[in-house]
Amino acid sequence: MFLSTTLNSLLFAFLAQGSPLPSEHNRIGGVLICNDPNGQGHCEYTVYELEKCYDLPPELVNNAATFAPDDAPFYCYPYIMECGGICTSPTGCTMGAVNYEYEHKFNLTEVGWNKYITSFECHLNKTADASP
Ligand SMILES: *[C@@H]1O[C@H](CO)[C@@H](O)[C@H](O)[C@H]1NC(C)=O
Ligand SMILES: *[C@@H]1O[C@H](CO)[C@@H](O)[C@H](O)[C@H]1NC(C)=O
């Protein structure tokens, strides 16, 4: 009992201080976006609404090598143009669906997209198994 209370207060103190490392979340719509690979550089973590387009803030637009959705049943389409922009590319102006499983989410440089994301929109993954 004493030990677990101590651990809990330690954990609370740690969380209250805020960790500089990308922390693990599991919120639907939660996405960590950073300038550099591996959650480095300027980062923003927000739980975004689904089915809604978001323009990246000035600190991250065309400069995001980390795009890491939470471990939850949803995925996002990062876009090359801003929300409402006209897409003229036959490939759809997106790098495709990015979810928690996406292997390059912590280094988009590997797929050449670190200088391209301007906006994104997330969707519920209806085929994912919702049970724990
Ligand atoms: C990210 O990927 C690029 C291109 O493959 C590579 O040069 C770079 O070392 C990688 N960065 C990290 C931190 O892994
Ligand atoms: C949806 O979830 C399933 C099961 O986890 C997964 O195989 C599939 O890749 C996901 N689809 C997308 C677009 O994320």
Side-chain angles (χ1 to χ4, degrees):
M1 201 53 161
F2 171 73
L3 183 62
S4 92
T5 307
T6 308
L7 280 177
N8 277 337
S9 36
L10 276 176
L11 184 63
F12 182 77
F14 174 73
L15 288 175
Q17 276 187 357
S19 162
L21 295 170
S23 41
E24 283 290 315
H25 302 268
N26 53 5
R27 303 279 304 273
I28 288 179
V31 186
L32 177 75
I33 308 171
C34 306
N35 293 143
D36 300 326
N38 299 328
Q40 302 295 304
H42 177 84
C43 286
E44 296 196 11
Y45 173 82
T46 303
V47 176
Y48 298 95
E49 284 178 47
L50 303 180
E51 314 300 330
K52 183 171 174 179
C53 184
Y54 289 90
D55 287 317
L56 287 190
E59 296 85 354
L60 294 170
V61 68
N62 294 329
N63 188 15
T66 294
F67 186 96
D70 277 3
D71 185 5
F74 75 103
Y75 57 92
C76 304
Y77 281 116
Y79 289 108
I80 207 165
M81 73 288 182
E82 59 189 29
C83 296
I86 308 294
C87 174
T88 52
S89 160
T91 52
C93 302
T94 177
M95 58 178 285
V98 176
N99 63 15
Y100 178 74
E101 309 283 335
Y102 184 62
E103 62 177 322
H104 304 296
K105 66 181 177 174
F106 278 117
N107 190 358
L108 298 181
T109 315
E110 292 163 354
V111 289
W113 262 77
N114 56 306
K115 296 294 177 202
Y116 290 126
I117 301 177
T118 299
S119 68
F120 67 94
E121 182 167 340
C122 302
H123 308 278
L124 196 63
N125 183 343
K126 297 189 179 85
T127 64
D129 186 1
S131 59

